[in-house]
Amino acid sequence: MVSPTKLKSVDFYRCGPLISLLHFLFPVMHVRMNMHIVGMNVISLPLWIVVKKIPRDLTEASLSGAGLSIVAALVMMLLFGMELSSYLEVTTTTAVVVDKSSDGDFLRIDFNISFPALSCEFASLDVNDVLGTNRLNITKTVRKFPIDPHLKATGGEFHSGLASHHINHGEEIKQEFPDGAIQLTNGGFQSLSHHFPLLIVNFNAPWCYWSNRLKPSWEKAATIIKQRYNPDTDGRVLLGSVDCTEEPALCRRNHIQGYPSIRIFRKGNDLKEDHGHHEHESYYGDRDTESIVKMVDELVAPIHPETHKLALDWGISNDTAKLLKKAPVTGGCRVEGYVRVKKVPGNLVISAHSGAHSFDSSQMNMSHVVTHLSFGRMIDTRLLTDLKRLLPYLGQSHDKLDEKAFINQHEFGANVTIEHYLQIVKTFVDTVITRRYGQEHSLTEEHEYTAHSSITQTYYLPVAKFHFELSPMQILITENPKSFSHFITNLCAIIGGVFTVAGIIDSVLHNTIRLIKKVELGKNI
């Protein structure tokens, strides 16, 4: 049998680490422990754990201790503020990775481009790429508005459907017809337009294929109309022709850019918005003799032959009305909208285009002002407000050409094409947004681009061309917020660390002061 004294010593020897831990966690406490010995009964022993009393000199207040306490408190507050700021701040990492877009993905191009010298009648937007895609005169997602030289809109949206339909020219006639139309000059044009209720003019050029194709039908129709409505006795209508190579000023004043152009001038329609010029209409119908005569008959019918005034119930058929449209009072056009293209190198081309007109390339001016040009989806304004911390990464180069003008002042000569070379890079952002119900991840993408522009001369029709090429790499920006547990751990470390350091400093100061006092009193050290 083991003696009680021996049992006690063995139990204390075995329980020493546990007692030390309890001593650390609970400075003063009563503990009743059950000592278990293998093969013996359980003996319950009351055990007192008493922490050694703190020395009296360490509990006494001192000036140095007070100062040290204040400094420690200030340091803790400073470190707490720094740690809180670090917790609230979201760190970002940037990486360059391969663009994993699938083969069916398309890139959206938004644009708003103004051409002061390109008429909406012929302005065409085309898209082509290296894979063979060639889309001409896109109209579904593109809008065109007539503008003046100061880029201000002068009318509603121009619908190009009338000018783009297939036109019947009739049979190609080789024989010559006597001139039935009056040859108009700059001087006589004004007087005749004020004298006749209807003046229908064919603006043409001798070198133009389509003008030569129209000439026989036009002269034959003019002869028929002259016989039906004699200019001397009837005086309601007159058909004329203008050679734009002989009368360039007259053609420019009426904003003629494609040949042939058939204009209808009505007496009395003097509008001051275009320097007093007559408001007029364009004819976009078939160009065979029968169609021209039918159009003229319907326009003349409502006009009284004696008074030259319109009847009260005047009107023309819907078929003819569809072929007539108000001619542009200015020669500019604003092209805006969007297109979707494949993510391969390609071109966005804006030029004059028509299947039944010719253009004098030496007179074409493709000067333009880029109001807006961007690629991909635009970042929502509300989302951009939440992503203010990401402004250094977003919105820097997504509108590189915005509000920039590219004007040809003719110092480069004729046939000038303006080209832009655009290198596009996709930026993908994985960000964290704080909501009322917590934090959520938001995926945002933006396409930034660099732009280099040049002016070149060409033998072909001048155009405004935007070459675009997407980089196979993309920039990935990831936000890494800190967890709350990490913040609490660092906060506890700050408090404990400051207390420990302050205690060490206080102990060093206290011992140093005590040592100095002993030396002053002459005590042995």
mmCIF file of all heavy atoms in Angstrom, residues 57-91:
data_model
loop_
_atom_site.group_PDB
_atom_site.id
_atom_site.type_symbol
_atom_site.label_atom_id
_atom_site.label_comp_id
_atom_site.label_asym_id
_atom_site.label_seq_id
_atom_site.Cartn_x
_atom_site.Cartn_y
_atom_site.Cartn_z
ATOM 1 N N ASP A 57 6.065 47.361 -4.876
ATOM 2 C CA ASP A 57 6.656 48.477 -5.617
ATOM 3 C C ASP A 57 6.208 48.493 -7.076
ATOM 4 O O ASP A 57 6.289 49.508 -7.748
ATOM 5 C CB ASP A 57 8.180 48.432 -5.546
ATOM 6 C CG ASP A 57 8.730 47.086 -6.005
ATOM 7 O OD1 ASP A 57 7.893 46.196 -6.245
ATOM 8 O OD2 ASP A 57 9.957 46.949 -6.134
ATOM 9 N N LEU A 58 5.720 47.313 -7.561
ATOM 10 C CA LEU A 58 5.239 47.284 -8.939
ATOM 11 C C LEU A 58 3.810 47.784 -9.061
ATOM 12 O O LEU A 58 3.323 48.035 -10.152
ATOM 13 C CB LEU A 58 5.333 45.863 -9.503
ATOM 14 C CG LEU A 58 6.738 45.291 -9.652
ATOM 15 C CD1 LEU A 58 6.672 43.877 -10.211
ATOM 16 C CD2 LEU A 58 7.596 46.184 -10.545
ATOM 17 N N THR A 59 3.099 47.864 -7.977
ATOM 18 C CA THR A 59 1.710 48.346 -8.002
ATOM 19 C C THR A 59 1.609 49.814 -7.663
ATOM 20 O O THR A 59 0.533 50.381 -7.746
ATOM 21 C CB THR A 59 0.851 47.546 -7.031
ATOM 22 O OG1 THR A 59 1.345 47.729 -5.693
ATOM 23 C CG2 THR A 59 0.886 46.066 -7.375
ATOM 24 N N GLU A 60 2.668 50.397 -7.279
ATOM 25 C CA GLU A 60 2.633 51.819 -6.932
ATOM 26 C C GLU A 60 2.696 52.663 -8.201
ATOM 27 O O GLU A 60 3.450 52.356 -9.145
ATOM 28 C CB GLU A 60 3.815 52.159 -6.031
ATOM 29 C CG GLU A 60 3.711 51.514 -4.657
ATOM 30 C CD GLU A 60 4.905 51.872 -3.794
ATOM 31 O OE1 GLU A 60 5.833 52.499 -4.332
ATOM 32 O OE2 GLU A 60 4.883 51.524 -2.605
ATOM 33 N N ALA A 61 1.895 53.711 -8.245
ATOM 34 C CA ALA A 61 1.875 54.608 -9.396
ATOM 35 C C ALA A 61 3.139 55.439 -9.439
ATOM 36 O O ALA A 61 3.675 55.842 -8.415
ATOM 37 C CB ALA A 61 0.651 55.535 -9.316
ATOM 38 N N SER A 62 3.596 55.692 -10.683
ATOM 39 C CA SER A 62 4.790 56.518 -10.883
ATOM 40 C C SER A 62 4.597 57.366 -12.126
ATOM 41 O O SER A 62 3.779 57.050 -12.999
ATOM 42 C CB SER A 62 6.034 55.640 -11.018
ATOM 43 O OG SER A 62 5.943 54.827 -12.165
ATOM 44 N N LEU A 63 5.346 58.440 -12.220
ATOM 45 C CA LEU A 63 5.245 59.338 -13.363
ATOM 46 C C LEU A 63 5.680 58.651 -14.657
ATOM 47 O O LEU A 63 5.045 58.798 -15.700
ATOM 48 C CB LEU A 63 6.082 60.592 -13.122
ATOM 49 C CG LEU A 63 5.967 61.700 -14.191
ATOM 50 C CD1 LEU A 63 4.520 62.179 -14.297
ATOM 51 C CD2 LEU A 63 6.915 62.859 -13.863
ATOM 52 N N SER A 64 6.744 57.876 -14.567
ATOM 53 C CA SER A 64 7.226 57.168 -15.753
ATOM 54 C C SER A 64 6.210 56.128 -16.203
ATOM 55 O O SER A 64 5.985 55.918 -17.396
ATOM 56 C CB SER A 64 8.577 56.501 -15.458
ATOM 57 O OG SER A 64 8.430 55.548 -14.403
ATOM 58 N N GLY A 65 5.606 55.458 -15.251
ATOM 59 C CA GLY A 65 4.594 54.466 -15.605
ATOM 60 C C GLY A 65 3.381 55.092 -16.281
ATOM 61 O O GLY A 65 2.814 54.538 -17.229
ATOM 62 N N ALA A 66 2.961 56.264 -15.747
ATOM 63 C CA ALA A 66 1.826 56.954 -16.367
ATOM 64 C C ALA A 66 2.145 57.376 -17.791
ATOM 65 O O ALA A 66 1.324 57.208 -18.702
ATOM 66 C CB ALA A 66 1.447 58.165 -15.520
ATOM 67 N N GLY A 67 3.342 57.929 -17.983
ATOM 68 C CA GLY A 67 3.733 58.332 -19.342
ATOM 69 C C GLY A 67 3.809 57.156 -20.283
ATOM 70 O O GLY A 67 3.363 57.228 -21.444
ATOM 71 N N LEU A 68 4.369 56.062 -19.770
ATOM 72 C CA LEU A 68 4.466 54.861 -20.600
ATOM 73 C C LEU A 68 3.087 54.328 -20.949
ATOM 74 O O LEU A 68 2.842 53.847 -22.067
ATOM 75 C CB LEU A 68 5.285 53.797 -19.870
ATOM 76 C CG LEU A 68 5.640 52.547 -20.682
ATOM 77 C CD1 LEU A 68 6.463 52.923 -21.897
ATOM 78 C CD2 LEU A 68 6.396 51.551 -19.813
ATOM 79 N N SER A 69 2.139 54.384 -20.007
ATOM 80 C CA SER A 69 0.774 53.931 -20.272
ATOM 81 C C SER A 69 0.101 54.770 -21.354
ATOM 82 O O SER A 69 -0.595 54.256 -22.237
ATOM 83 C CB SER A 69 -0.052 53.961 -18.989
ATOM 84 O OG SER A 69 0.507 53.108 -18.018
ATOM 85 N N ILE A 70 0.307 56.083 -21.276
ATOM 86 C CA ILE A 70 -0.285 56.980 -22.287
ATOM 87 C C ILE A 70 0.307 56.697 -23.662
ATOM 88 O O ILE A 70 -0.401 56.606 -24.670
ATOM 89 C CB ILE A 70 -0.069 58.452 -21.890
ATOM 90 C CG1 ILE A 70 -0.839 58.769 -20.602
ATOM 91 C CG2 ILE A 70 -0.503 59.384 -23.022
ATOM 92 C CD1 ILE A 70 -0.588 60.155 -20.073
ATOM 93 N N VAL A 71 1.636 56.534 -23.706
ATOM 94 C CA VAL A 71 2.289 56.240 -24.985
ATOM 95 C C VAL A 71 1.795 54.919 -25.542
ATOM 96 O O VAL A 71 1.513 54.782 -26.737
ATOM 97 C CB VAL A 71 3.827 56.226 -24.809
ATOM 98 C CG1 VAL A 71 4.495 55.721 -26.075
ATOM 99 C CG2 VAL A 71 4.328 57.611 -24.455
ATOM 100 N N ALA A 72 1.663 53.915 -24.666
ATOM 101 C CA ALA A 72 1.182 52.613 -25.114
ATOM 102 C C ALA A 72 -0.239 52.714 -25.665
ATOM 103 O O ALA A 72 -0.578 52.088 -26.684
ATOM 104 C CB ALA A 72 1.242 51.613 -23.971
ATOM 105 N N ALA A 73 -1.096 53.508 -25.016
ATOM 106 C CA ALA A 73 -2.472 53.676 -25.488
ATOM 107 C C ALA A 73 -2.508 54.359 -26.855
ATOM 108 O O ALA A 73 -3.261 53.959 -27.754
ATOM 109 C CB ALA A 73 -3.279 54.478 -24.472
ATOM 110 N N LEU A 74 -1.670 55.388 -27.013
ATOM 111 C CA LEU A 74 -1.610 56.082 -28.302
ATOM 112 C C LEU A 74 -1.097 55.167 -29.405
ATOM 113 O O LEU A 74 -1.613 55.174 -30.537
ATOM 114 C CB LEU A 74 -0.729 57.332 -28.195
ATOM 115 C CG LEU A 74 -1.257 58.451 -27.292
ATOM 116 C CD1 LEU A 74 -0.247 59.587 -27.204
ATOM 117 C CD2 LEU A 74 -2.601 58.973 -27.822
ATOM 118 N N VAL A 75 -0.092 54.384 -29.081
ATOM 119 C CA VAL A 75 0.445 53.446 -30.078
ATOM 120 C C VAL A 75 -0.614 52.424 -30.468
ATOM 121 O O VAL A 75 -0.762 52.074 -31.646
ATOM 122 C CB VAL A 75 1.715 52.760 -29.528
ATOM 123 C CG1 VAL A 75 2.148 51.619 -30.450
ATOM 124 C CG2 VAL A 75 2.841 53.768 -29.387
ATOM 125 N N MET A 76 -1.371 51.926 -29.493
ATOM 126 C CA MET A 76 -2.430 50.963 -29.796
ATOM 127 C C MET A 76 -3.501 51.589 -30.683
ATOM 128 O O MET A 76 -3.994 50.953 -31.625
ATOM 129 C CB MET A 76 -3.043 50.444 -28.492
ATOM 130 C CG MET A 76 -2.220 49.347 -27.820
ATOM 131 S SD MET A 76 -3.121 48.513 -26.501
ATOM 132 C CE MET A 76 -3.212 49.818 -25.297
ATOM 133 N N MET A 77 -3.859 52.833 -30.406
ATOM 134 C CA MET A 77 -4.859 53.501 -31.234
ATOM 135 C C MET A 77 -4.340 53.696 -32.659
ATOM 136 O O MET A 77 -5.083 53.492 -33.637
ATOM 137 C CB MET A 77 -5.236 54.850 -30.617
ATOM 138 C CG MET A 77 -5.996 54.735 -29.295
ATOM 139 S SD MET A 77 -6.312 56.346 -28.539
ATOM 140 C CE MET A 77 -7.321 57.097 -29.798
ATOM 141 N N LEU A 78 -3.076 54.083 -32.776
ATOM 142 C CA LEU A 78 -2.499 54.279 -34.112
ATOM 143 C C LEU A 78 -2.463 52.967 -34.894
ATOM 144 O O LEU A 78 -2.870 52.906 -36.063
ATOM 145 C CB LEU A 78 -1.094 54.865 -33.979
ATOM 146 C CG LEU A 78 -0.318 55.044 -35.299
ATOM 147 C CD1 LEU A 78 -1.043 56.021 -36.211
ATOM 148 C CD2 LEU A 78 1.104 55.534 -35.019
ATOM 149 N N LEU A 79 -1.996 51.922 -34.241
ATOM 150 C CA LEU A 79 -1.922 50.630 -34.910
ATOM 151 C C LEU A 79 -3.310 50.084 -35.231
ATOM 152 O O LEU A 79 -3.512 49.430 -36.254
ATOM 153 C CB LEU A 79 -1.149 49.636 -34.045
ATOM 154 C CG LEU A 79 0.339 49.955 -33.829
ATOM 155 C CD1 LEU A 79 0.977 48.919 -32.914
ATOM 156 C CD2 LEU A 79 1.062 50.005 -35.173
ATOM 157 N N PHE A 80 -4.278 50.362 -34.356
ATOM 158 C CA PHE A 80 -5.649 49.931 -34.621
ATOM 159 C C PHE A 80 -6.210 50.625 -35.869
ATOM 160 O O PHE A 80 -6.842 49.999 -36.722
ATOM 161 C CB PHE A 80 -6.534 50.220 -33.412
ATOM 162 C CG PHE A 80 -7.996 49.995 -33.684
ATOM 163 C CD1 PHE A 80 -8.512 48.703 -33.727
ATOM 164 C CD2 PHE A 80 -8.854 51.061 -33.917
ATOM 165 C CE1 PHE A 80 -9.859 48.491 -33.994
ATOM 166 C CE2 PHE A 80 -10.191 50.851 -34.190
ATOM 167 C CZ PHE A 80 -10.702 49.562 -34.216
ATOM 168 N N GLY A 81 -5.951 51.934 -35.982
ATOM 169 C CA GLY A 81 -6.413 52.664 -37.164
ATOM 170 C C GLY A 81 -5.766 52.155 -38.439
ATOM 171 O O GLY A 81 -6.426 52.003 -39.470
ATOM 172 N N MET A 82 -4.459 51.876 -38.360
ATOM 173 C CA MET A 82 -3.765 51.361 -39.532
ATOM 174 C C MET A 82 -4.294 49.984 -39.921
ATOM 175 O O MET A 82 -4.478 49.683 -41.107
ATOM 176 C CB MET A 82 -2.263 51.309 -39.266
ATOM 177 C CG MET A 82 -1.629 52.685 -39.053
ATOM 178 S SD MET A 82 0.107 52.593 -38.543
ATOM 179 C CE MET A 82 0.824 51.776 -39.952
ATOM 180 N N GLU A 83 -4.541 49.149 -38.943
ATOM 181 C CA GLU A 83 -5.050 47.811 -39.225
ATOM 182 C C GLU A 83 -6.475 47.869 -39.774
ATOM 183 O O GLU A 83 -6.840 47.117 -40.697
ATOM 184 C CB GLU A 83 -5.022 46.961 -37.951
ATOM 185 C CG GLU A 83 -5.505 45.531 -38.131
ATOM 186 C CD GLU A 83 -4.635 44.739 -39.079
ATOM 187 O OE1 GLU A 83 -3.434 45.085 -39.217
ATOM 188 O OE2 GLU A 83 -5.149 43.784 -39.695
ATOM 189 N N LEU A 84 -7.299 48.796 -39.253
ATOM 190 C CA LEU A 84 -8.662 48.948 -39.754
ATOM 191 C C LEU A 84 -8.645 49.435 -41.202
ATOM 192 O O LEU A 84 -9.420 48.960 -42.044
ATOM 193 C CB LEU A 84 -9.438 49.926 -38.873
ATOM 194 C CG LEU A 84 -10.902 50.192 -39.277
ATOM 195 C CD1 LEU A 84 -11.706 48.890 -39.227
ATOM 196 C CD2 LEU A 84 -11.525 51.254 -38.392
ATOM 197 N N SER A 85 -7.766 50.387 -41.492
ATOM 198 C CA SER A 85 -7.652 50.880 -42.865
ATOM 199 C C SER A 85 -7.195 49.773 -43.801
ATOM 200 O O SER A 85 -7.696 49.638 -44.921
ATOM 201 C CB SER A 85 -6.681 52.055 -42.917
ATOM 202 O OG SER A 85 -6.473 52.484 -44.245
ATOM 203 N N SER A 86 -6.247 48.965 -43.343
ATOM 204 C CA SER A 86 -5.773 47.848 -44.159
ATOM 205 C C SER A 86 -6.875 46.817 -44.377
ATOM 206 O O SER A 86 -6.971 46.218 -45.449
ATOM 207 C CB SER A 86 -4.565 47.186 -43.495
ATOM 208 O OG SER A 86 -4.136 46.059 -44.213
ATOM 209 N N TYR A 87 -7.738 46.632 -43.371
ATOM 210 C CA TYR A 87 -8.835 45.664 -43.503
ATOM 211 C C TYR A 87 -9.882 46.155 -44.497
ATOM 212 O O TYR A 87 -10.412 45.379 -45.295
ATOM 213 C CB TYR A 87 -9.463 45.425 -42.128
ATOM 214 C CG TYR A 87 -10.766 44.671 -42.180
ATOM 215 C CD1 TYR A 87 -10.799 43.323 -42.507
ATOM 216 C CD2 TYR A 87 -11.969 45.319 -41.907
ATOM 217 C CE1 TYR A 87 -12.002 42.626 -42.569
ATOM 218 C CE2 TYR A 87 -13.171 44.639 -41.968
ATOM 219 C CZ TYR A 87 -13.181 43.292 -42.287
ATOM 220 O OH TYR A 87 -14.370 42.608 -42.345
ATOM 221 N N LEU A 88 -10.186 47.452 -44.451
ATOM 222 C CA LEU A 88 -11.193 48.002 -45.353
ATOM 223 C C LEU A 88 -10.677 48.127 -46.777
ATOM 224 O O LEU A 88 -11.461 48.123 -47.730
ATOM 225 C CB LEU A 88 -11.653 49.375 -44.852
ATOM 226 C CG LEU A 88 -12.359 49.378 -43.475
ATOM 227 C CD1 LEU A 88 -12.701 50.800 -43.073
ATOM 228 C CD2 LEU A 88 -13.611 48.500 -43.511
ATOM 229 N N GLU A 89 -9.387 48.257 -46.951
ATOM 230 C CA GLU A 89 -8.808 48.388 -48.282
ATOM 231 C C GLU A 89 -8.715 47.015 -48.953
ATOM 232 O O GLU A 89 -8.246 46.050 -48.351
ATOM 233 C CB GLU A 89 -7.428 49.027 -48.192
ATOM 234 C CG GLU A 89 -6.753 49.212 -49.546
ATOM 235 C CD GLU A 89 -5.379 49.825 -49.415
ATOM 236 O OE1 GLU A 89 -4.991 50.137 -48.268
ATOM 237 O OE2 GLU A 89 -4.693 49.973 -50.435
ATOM 238 N N VAL A 90 -9.177 46.966 -50.221
ATOM 239 C CA VAL A 90 -9.146 45.719 -50.970
ATOM 240 C C VAL A 90 -7.922 45.729 -51.883
ATOM 241 O O VAL A 90 -7.752 46.637 -52.703
ATOM 242 C CB VAL A 90 -10.428 45.539 -51.812
ATOM 243 C CG1 VAL A 90 -10.371 44.231 -52.599
ATOM 244 C CG2 VAL A 90 -11.651 45.565 -50.916
ATOM 245 N N THR A 91 -7.086 44.765 -51.744
ATOM 246 C CA THR A 91 -5.893 44.669 -52.584
ATOM 247 C C THR A 91 -6.252 44.025 -53.917
ATOM 248 O O THR A 91 -7.185 43.222 -54.016
ATOM 249 C CB THR A 91 -4.806 43.841 -51.887
ATOM 250 O OG1 THR A 91 -5.305 42.524 -51.626
ATOM 251 C CG2 THR A 91 -4.394 44.494 -50.578
#
